[in-house]
Amino acid sequence: MNKPTKEQIEQWKATYGTVYRISVEGREAYLKPPGRKTIGYASVAGKNNPIKFNEIILNDCWLGGDEEIKTNDILFLSVSAQLAELIQIKEAELVKL
């Protein structure tokens, strides 16, 4: 894979807000945060097959990178440990009025 240019990364940031890079054994993947539809779909699929959760998140959030990360089991499992970090949860406050 050709590394994305600085301009491409800036374009992704303008479109998706945040862009992440995951590196493993010299290979890189560029990912956007998942949306709630993706998280919901991945959560349902992950109940029966936990690996499926990571596959769905990785595929839906994929912007570019070394495709081998998606196809090589060792690389996939290595990045899988980081995929939960894509799901950002802000602290909310509930006040009874």
Side-chain angles (χ1 to χ4, degrees):
M1 174 214 147
N2 295 330
K3 282 191 170 197
T5 63
K6 197 171 208 171
E7 292 78 22
Q8 177 65 62
I9 292 171
E10 290 304 317
Q11 185 179 28
W12 286 337
K13 285 181 179 180
T15 303
Y16 303 110
T18 304
V19 175
Y20 299 94
R21 182 184 70 220
I22 298 178
S23 302
V24 57
E25 291 190 351
R27 292 162 187 89
E28 296 179 336
Y30 295 85
L31 308 169
K32 66 179 179 72
R36 66 177 150 185
K37 286 183 183 179
T38 299
I39 294 168
Y41 176 63
S43 295
V44 169
K47 285 182 183 179
N48 294 327
N49 181 352
I51 297 293
K52 194 70 175 167
F53 177 88
N54 291 328
E55 287 177 349
I56 291 167
I57 296 294
L58 183 63
N59 286 323
D60 184 71
C61 297
W62 189 269
L63 296 173
D66 294 293
E67 292 287 327
E68 191 177 359
I69 290 173
K70 293 196 256 183
T71 59
N72 178 301
D73 288 346
I74 292 170
L75 299 176
F76 171 77
L77 292 172
S78 297
V79 301
S80 289
Q82 298 295 316
L83 293 177
E85 297 296 317
L86 294 176
I87 302 169
Q88 298 291 316
I89 299 182
K90 308 262 184 205
E91 191 166 327
E93 180 181 348
L94 174 65
V95 178
K96 183 176 180 180
L97 303 177

